Amino acid sequence: MKRGRQETLVKLIQSKEMSTQDELIEELRLCGYNVTQATISRDIKELKLVKVMSRDGKYCYALSGTKENDASKRLRSLMTSAVTDIDIAGNLVIIKTEAGMAQALCAAIDSADFSEIVGSIAGDDTIFLAAKTPESAAAAASNFRKMTII
């Protein structure tokens, strides 16, 4: 839910000039997201949105200079450097990592808020991710594999 809402928010600010949180709330509601001002405020902070001057001199929300937020960068970095294997067992995604890396990677996965993942457990070199269904586990594993070099 959060990830989808934030992706929609990014698309909205890239396609329309919006200068207030009320405008963001209204546009998200039109897209089916019933949000509060507190939610929008958190999303702005997490997405690192900034106000920039538009061509007509009005200040509008925009993405900061980076294309990916810090959590996404951290996840991709850990996926490429720490993962040694990814497997599926029913509705579980099992990720093997270099020794001592599982907890950091698991925290990065949790921060990314994957909608198909409902829970996670990390040991020293193994992560168990519980997905809603075997199909969503397969989809998640496929997405994780795309981020790795294995």
Side-chain angles (χ1 to χ4, degrees):
M1 182 76 167
K2 176 181 174 180
R3 185 174 182 192
R5 181 187 66 244
Q6 288 183 345
E7 287 174 359
T8 301
L9 181 57
V10 168
K11 288 176 187 171
L12 286 170
I13 65 166
Q14 289 175 330
S15 65
K16 294 177 104 174
E17 290 184 355
M18 291 181 275
S19 58
T20 68
Q21 290 185 3
D22 287 336
E23 290 176 65
L24 297 174
I25 290 169
E26 182 59 31
E27 290 295 325
L28 282 171
R29 285 188 178 152
L30 292 173
C31 293
Y33 295 96
N34 188 20
V35 296
T36 64
Q37 184 278 328
T39 300
I40 287 296
S41 183
R42 280 190 299 274
D43 286 348
I44 289 169
K45 183 178 179 182
E46 288 175 18
L47 294 169
K48 297 185 178 171
L49 300 182
V50 295
K51 282 196 171 182
V52 297
M53 189 179 294
S54 66
R55 292 180 194 122
D56 63 356
K58 183 172 120 178
Y59 282 93
C60 300
Y61 284 102
L63 292 172
S64 63
T66 61
K67 290 191 176 191
E68 293 182 298
N69 63 32
D70 288 341
S72 179
K73 284 181 183 177
R74 179 170 166 73
L75 176 60
R76 287 188 186 282
S77 174
L78 286 168
M79 290 296 288
T80 57
S81 64
V83 174
T84 60
D85 191 33
I86 298 174
D87 205 353
I88 304 168
N91 70 321
L92 295 177
V93 178
I94 298 95
I95 301 176
K96 297 293 286 180
T97 71
E98 299 290 341
M101 296 301 296
Q103 290 183 13
L105 177 57
C106 192
I109 291 169
D110 288 344
S111 295
D113 196 31
F114 289 95
S115 61
E116 60 269 8
I117 302 298
V118 295
S120 63
I121 299 173
D124 184 59
D125 65 355
T126 306
I127 300 169
F128 289 94
L129 301 172
K132 294 177 182 178
T133 65
E135 295 78 18
S136 59
S142 175
N143 288 334
F144 292 136
R145 283 186 189 107
K146 290 175 187 173
M147 290 186 234
T148 67
I149 56 174
I150 60 169

